[in-house]
Every structure is written in structure tokens, then in C-alpha cells.
Amino acid sequence: MMVRTVRGLCAASIFLFTACPEKEDESASGSESTTTGAPTTSEATTTDATATAATTEVSTTEASTTEPTTTATTGEALCEVDMTEFEASCDQVCEVYASCPTDVDPVACAENCKTDTLFKDTPACLCSGTAWNTCRGALDCEGIDAIMMVADTPCFAEGAAYLIHCADCHVQPEFVAADVCVTGVECPDALGVSFICQQDTCVCNDGEKDFASCPAAGVCAGMDAAALNAAATECCGIPL
């Protein structure tokens, strides 16, 4: 699989921002985000115990943004974040970008981040988007400039998880033989990670080089796509 790397502070690739606006572009970013990654629940009040006739009062629907949840397909545990925390992570990472020798305006950058970074309205996208911002927001300018979607570079796992959960990525397990199988994820113009098992060993490859390995433990013989992806997630540290 081929990986297209992205250098610099402002790239057209979706794994940074849709655009990192320059200072003179500030007027184009005044919209507010309508994305909400948090599920809502309804609450009902109980019958008043002091009333002689039992009555039931139902409260209005209230949003819950702090309860942990899991994905419907994999049962993967998600973080406890809400939109306020996500937006704070946008402010944090944009302050770092603006402190570096670029023309990035932190206010316009943060507005773009808040409106354009979440491509999917799901808890998984909200959580991974926040983690991706937070990881970059803890870097200095040298660290920011070193970001690429390959292993052994800053925030690789967080960036990969963000793409997998938020972008239009494709995961395809394939079973070749009882001791040969592969699964991988490809995201448009940004990421290509594969998990290749042959005989007794599996390796993770970032599109340029192997970066992790683990025992195959018969995962190919089982011909189970979910089990293969789970093994890849554990070995590679990326949620396939």
C-alpha cells in the first residue's frame, strides 16, 4: 500500500484541517459548528409519593454528553468528551500552529477546526478528533513540522484513529491461506496501514516500513474478519 505523506503546518489533506486559514482570510470563517457528537436521552420523573391520586410527570428531553458509550459494531469503549472539550482542543492546537513561523491566524484556524474537522456525526469521530487535536496541541513547532502519517512520527496513532473514525476510509480483510492473511486501512491521500500475517508472525506496515510485529496465533486459519481486525488493532495500536 502506498502512503502519501503530508508535511508542513497547512496542508490540503483532510487529516489536518480542511484549510488552515491565513490571517488575511479571517473574514471567511465566521460560521458556528452545528456538529454534535453526543447522543441524547429522555428522562422521566417518578410519581409524587404525597399525592392521593397517582400522577406521572414526564420531564423534557435532556442531552447527555458525558456518559461513556460504545460503538454499535465493535463494542469499542469511547472516551468521555463533549463538544466544549472538542472546541477547546481546537483552540489549543491552533495556538501552537500560530506560534510557529507561519501566517496562521489562531482565531480563524480554530473556527475552521470547529466547523470542518468532524466529518462524521458520531461519538467515535468526536473522541478521536479531540485526541488528535490534543496530541498536536502538546507539541512545539519542531514537533508539528515532523508530523507525517507514518509510524515513528508525532501523533501517528492519534492521526490514524482520527482518519479511520471520521474520514471515508476503507478496511478490507483478505484470507489467502490457512497461514496467510492480511487486513488494512486506506484513507484518501493520507493513510495506508496494513497488517500482514504469514506463518507464525504478523507485521504492521505504515505504507513505507514495518513498525510492529506479533505472533499470528492462528488468526488466519479462523477465517474470521472481525478477529483479524481485532488482532491488527491490538498489534498495531490503530483501530481497524
Side-chain angles (χ1 to χ4, degrees), residues 221-235:
M223 303 286 285
D224 185 331
L228 178 59
N229 285 341
T233 296
E234 181 176 358
C235 188

Side-chain angles (χ1 to χ4, degrees), residues 120 160 162-171 185-188 191:
K120 293 181 181 177
Y162 162 64
L163 280 173
I164 291 167
H165 285 143
C166 294
D168 292 323
C169 299
H170 179 67
V171 179
V185 56
E186 290 188 329
C187 303
L191 179 71

Side-chain angles (χ1 to χ4, degrees), residues 125-203:
C125 182
L126 180 66
C127 289
S128 58
T130 303
W132 169 229
N133 288 339
T134 300
C135 182
R136 291 179 296 158
L139 299 175
D140 57 15
C141 294
E142 183 178 354
I144 288 287
D145 195 46
I147 289 176
M148 299 168 64
M149 280 294 95
V150 291
D152 301 325
T153 61
C155 302
F156 168 65
E158 290 83 359
Y162 162 64
L163 280 173
I164 291 167
H165 285 143
C166 294
D168 292 323
C169 299
H170 179 67
V171 179
Q172 182 62 53
E174 294 182 11
F175 295 91
V176 180
D179 60 352
V180 179
C181 57
V182 60
T183 189
V185 56
E186 290 188 329
C187 303
D189 299 320
L191 179 71
V193 173
S194 58
F195 180 67
I196 306 164
C197 299
Q198 299 183 76
Q199 298 180 344
D200 298 327
T201 305
C202 299
V203 297

